[in-house]
């Protein structure tokens, strides 16, 4: 209930949110991959596109194992239908992949991941989270994973199809300590303007701390 709201929070850098993030990462024994335990700060900036696609099976059915999701209770589910799907996603993905070829003035590099969390286990999702430096995608539940990003990471939330009033992920970003322009919420038409998305991501990559 605290995140489903249309008002911007005044709270920042909540120790409870940070502790929860650490608890989940350590609970899955993934802390060895987290930035604080690395000997050097990586100069490779990882950009992850958090996809929203309707052509996938419901996660409850795909990953049921009778421990948490009893399989026979989900047999009626077929393809998952989602709103706020980027209509020209293929063009956006191609442009972001091409951005990897960019030469940055300080020698940093960019690596791009197309992350469809509907097809990944929770552990695989967390592994993606803790190596992501710029998370970008349309407004949707997948952006909750910004809670598990490194401290230097940035979040770009794309408001499409009338979702701009929602402050869920703005507030979560602030609670996680992403202040100033470390969070950006941008209202776009759908299909989205590819050049604008690329420019937003490129600017974010250039601002990630690499030294």
């Amino acid at each position: 209930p605290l995140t489903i709201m249309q008002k911007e929070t005044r709270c920042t850098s909540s120790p409870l949110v940070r502790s929860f993030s650490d608890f989940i990462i350590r609970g899955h024994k993934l802390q060895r991959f987290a930035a604080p335990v690395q000997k050097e700060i990586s100069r490779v900036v990882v950009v992850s596109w958090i996809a929203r696609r309707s052509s996938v099976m419901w996660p409850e059915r795909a990953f049921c194992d009778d421990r948490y999701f009893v399989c026979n209770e989900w047999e009626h589910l077929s393809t998952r239908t989602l709103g706020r799907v980027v209509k020209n996603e293929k063009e956006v993905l191609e442009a972001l992949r091409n951005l990897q070829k960019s030469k940055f003035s300080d020698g940093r590099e960019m690596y791009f991941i197309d992350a469809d969390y509907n097809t990944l286990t929770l552990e695989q999702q967390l592994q993606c989270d803790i190596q992501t430096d710029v998370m970008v995608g349309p407004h949707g539940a997948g952006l909750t994973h910004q809670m598990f990003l490194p401290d230097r990471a940035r979040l770009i939330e794309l408001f499409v199809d009338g979702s701009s009033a929602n402050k869920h992920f703005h507030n979560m970003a602030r609670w996680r300590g992403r202040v100033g322009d470390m969070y950006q919420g941008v209202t776009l038409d759908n299909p989205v303007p590819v050049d604008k998305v690329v420019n937003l991501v490129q600017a974010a990559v250039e601002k990630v701390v690499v030294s």
Side-chain angles (χ1 to χ4, degrees):
L2 292 175
T3 62
I4 303 176
M5 60 189 306
Q6 297 180 346
K7 295 182 179 179
E8 295 187 359
T9 182
R10 292 179 291 176
C11 300
T12 59
S13 303
S14 166
L16 289 175
V17 173
R18 176 59 180 269
S19 296
F20 174 75
S21 173
D22 290 345
F23 175 77
I24 296 298
I25 291 171
R26 291 179 182 277
H28 287 269
K29 297 179 170 47
L30 296 172
Q31 67 271 21
R32 66 188 183 280
F33 300 112
V37 301
Q38 304 302 314
K39 294 182 179 179
E40 297 181 358
I41 298 176
S42 176
R43 297 185 65 79
V44 177
V45 178
V46 178
V47 175
S48 292
W49 171 263
I50 305 302
R52 281 182 65 83
R53 296 174 186 147
S54 293
S55 57
V56 294
M57 186 183 296
W58 281 81
E60 292 87 343
R61 184 175 179 185
F63 297 105
C64 68
D65 59 7
D66 290 336
R67 290 184 303 167
Y68 304 108
F69 301 114
V70 180
C71 294
N72 62 16
E73 294 182 358
W74 304 99
E75 291 178 351
H76 64 286
L77 297 177
S78 55
T79 300
R80 189 180 187 193
T81 302
L82 294 173
R84 301 186 303 280
V85 174
V86 174
K87 296 177 181 177
N88 57 333
E89 185 185 50
K90 288 183 179 180
E91 290 85 350
V92 174
L93 295 178
E94 181 180 1
L96 292 177
R97 289 192 184 97
N98 288 335
L99 190 58
Q100 295 178 109
K101 303 173 185 176
S102 298
K103 301 292 184 182
F104 295 92
S105 59
D106 61 355
R108 71 181 62 201
E109 299 177 27
M110 173 192 154
Y111 180 74
F112 177 69
I113 297 174
D114 173 14
D116 187 348
Y117 280 13
N118 281 307
T119 65
L120 303 178
T121 65
L122 178 57
E123 183 172 303
Q124 290 170 330
Q125 293 172 26
L126 291 169
Q127 286 178 325
C128 182
D129 296 338
I130 60 181
Q131 66 177 329
T132 294
D133 299 303
V134 178
M135 177 175 280
V136 55
H139 173 82
L143 298 186
T144 302
H145 280 265
Q146 53 97 1
M147 294 179 65
F148 309 112
L149 302 182
D151 290 347
R152 73 176 187 173
R154 293 170 174 266
L155 174 65
I156 302 173
E157 180 178 10
L158 307 180
F159 292 117
V160 297
D161 299 341
S163 56
S164 61
N166 298 304
K167 303 299 181 183
H168 322 356
F169 304 114
H170 166 278
N171 292 348
M172 292 177 67
R174 295 298 186 241
W175 296 337
R176 183 57 181 80
R178 306 192 200 289
V179 297
D181 65 356
M182 294 183 76
Y183 165 87
Q184 288 183 281
V186 185
T187 301
L188 301 174
D189 294 330
N190 196 8
V192 302
V194 176
D195 289 347
K196 184 166 185 177
V197 174
V198 170
N199 290 338
L200 286 166
V201 171
Q202 183 170 3
V205 169
E206 292 173 345
K207 291 181 179 179
V208 171
V209 176
V210 295
S211 61

